[in-house]
Amino acid sequence: MDAHWTEAEFDPVGDQVEPTIPVLRPRLPSAEQLLPYLRRIDATRLYTSWGPLALELEERLCRRFSLPLGGVASAGSGTSALTAAILAAAPGRGAGRRRLAIVPALTFVATAAAAESCGCTLRIADVDSETWQLDPERVAARADLDEVAIVIPVAPFGRPVPQTTWLEFRQQTGIPVVIDGAATFETATGQEGILGELPVAMSFHATKAFATGEGGCVASTETGLVEQIGQALNFGFSGSRDSATPSLNGKLSEYHAAVGLAELEGWNAKQEATARVLDLYRERFNRLGLQDRLVCAPEVASLYVLFRAGTQREANNVAASLAENCVSHRLWYGAGLQTHTHFAGCLSDPLPVTEELAPRLLGLPFALDLDKRAVERIGAAVTHGVGRR
């Protein structure tokens, strides 16, 4: 049986049970929407290595982001985009004393994996309790700056990282900065100061608002740097078969570029559907008196709907209530980077903010076709959990 929340309610006393509401059900362009682009691929017989569709997608993204042509390098994933940006922005990373990559504890593991794959030694730092991000002033005051190869501020849940203060940090310290803006596609098109000189790596994974299934890009006003990032994504090749720089194979395929182009065509309709679902959430949580606990767009990226529990105990109660009511939820960043087996032994600062905050940010379900009845059920489960003692 297809477990979908718009089906009729089941009798919990009988053999059937309430269908589970999944935490996320992405919807990408349909086969019909993709067909014109697939036919273009058939005609060119070019499938990767910056074929015409990938180049067209980069061009259209430059216009959307108000960047100069050449200001976007497409990539096969958000992680490969970030990895290539680190390789290009921090030559000599991991060499001599300068070996540390400062990464926040409140992030997805891809941030740390990218830095580690570039030869850096991780140093996990705490985040600010208000912004949920690295604080550039606190990083600038560190005693180990002469060991730092790169700093990677993260846009948590798509909360954008302002460039100005990090540009000042780079000028003051000489340390390269690459921004992990995995979920910032929407804010990058709508706010000033989010894109600029510092490279911003984005993910186009299916879990993101703008998605190609798998993919990503790096965006910057510094087109020379973007060109170097493109070279790093292509075995270090640039106009020849000579591998001249540190590199990986991280190019976006023409098939994923086709999805991206179709996604741009349907973007306005997708945003309208997204707004409808978020309005349902706001209305329901307002009626429940929990509107101040709901964190959603525009504060974060539109596919993240977060419930901010007041305490760890309340978070546990809400999580239990959601599970009992067949409502999926997720701690998108787990309890922090430092709790993952592979990263538990990394160098780390004290992490009081992350340790207290991360387990309280419960990701609630989102889908473009989530209906009122489903949101009411989610709200009822959250309310029941909040009321437990």
Side-chain angles (χ1 to χ4, degrees), residues 54 57 96 137 266 273 289:
L57 178 62
E137 292 186 4

Side-chain angles (χ1 to χ4, degrees), residues 77-279:
S77 70
T79 307
S80 60
L82 180 58
T83 302
I86 295 168
L87 291 174
R93 74 241 142 261
R97 284 181 58 83
R98 290 199 175 272
R99 58 191 178 88
L100 298 180
I102 305 295
V103 299
L106 189 68
T107 187
F108 184 56
V109 294
T111 311
E116 197 174 54
S117 69
C118 292
C120 295
T121 298
L122 300 178
R123 181 83 193 198
I124 302 172
D126 208 2
V127 295
D128 179 81
S129 60
E130 295 298 320
T131 66
W132 304 351
Q133 301 174 4
L134 291 177
D135 180 341
E137 292 186 4
R138 286 180 60 188
V139 177
R142 296 182 65 93
D144 59 357
L145 282 186
D146 60 344
E147 300 178 41
V148 176
I150 192 165
V151 179
I152 309 175
V154 171
F157 308 104
R159 276 186 164 185
V161 176
Q163 293 233 348
T164 304
T165 51
W166 284 108
L167 282 167
E168 292 172 356
F169 168 87
R170 188 180 69 174
Q171 182 176 9
Q172 174 187 343
T173 65
I175 296 172
V177 177
V178 170
I179 296 172
D180 181 350
T184 56
F185 178 86
E186 293 156 298
T187 50
T189 62
Q191 295 186 35
E192 291 186 5
I194 305 308
L195 295 180
E197 292 180 37
L198 300 177
V200 178
M202 301 182 201
S203 171
F204 299 157
H205 188 262
T207 55
K208 301 299 183 287
F210 177 84
T212 62
E214 190 65 271
C217 79
V218 183
S220 171
T221 57
E222 296 298 304
T223 56
L225 176 59
V226 174
E227 185 177 358
Q228 293 172 33
I229 292 168
Q231 185 174 1
L233 286 163
N234 188 31
F235 300 106
F237 296 161
S238 179
S240 74
R241 300 290 290 178
D242 176 35
S243 181
T245 65
S247 64
L248 68 155
N249 178 21
K251 302 179 292 295
L252 185 73
S253 80
E254 285 289 270
Y255 290 102
H256 291 94
V259 178
L261 290 168
E263 182 88 330
L264 283 176
E265 286 187 1
W267 182 246
N268 290 339
K270 189 172 187 178
Q271 288 292 88
E272 289 172 4
T274 296
R276 178 191 62 80
V277 175
L278 295 179
D279 284 345

Side-chain angles (χ1 to χ4, degrees), residues 253-328:
S253 80
E254 285 289 270
Y255 290 102
H256 291 94
V259 178
L261 290 168
E263 182 88 330
L264 283 176
E265 286 187 1
W267 182 246
N268 290 339
K270 189 172 187 178
Q271 288 292 88
E272 289 172 4
T274 296
R276 178 191 62 80
V277 175
L278 295 179
D279 284 345
L280 290 175
Y281 263 111
R282 294 188 191 98
E283 180 182 354
R284 183 59 176 163
F285 276 69
N286 185 57
R287 289 184 177 181
L288 295 171
L290 295 172
Q291 65 272 17
D292 60 332
R293 309 284 205 92
L294 189 69
V295 183
C296 59
E299 186 176 351
V300 294
S302 63
L303 266 66
Y304 292 112
V305 179
L306 305 174
F307 177 74
R308 181 167 42 197
T311 64
Q312 177 65 76
R313 180 177 180 180
E314 183 179 76
N316 293 341
N317 288 341
V318 171
S321 179
L322 289 167
E324 289 165 7
N325 287 274
C326 299
V327 177
S328 298

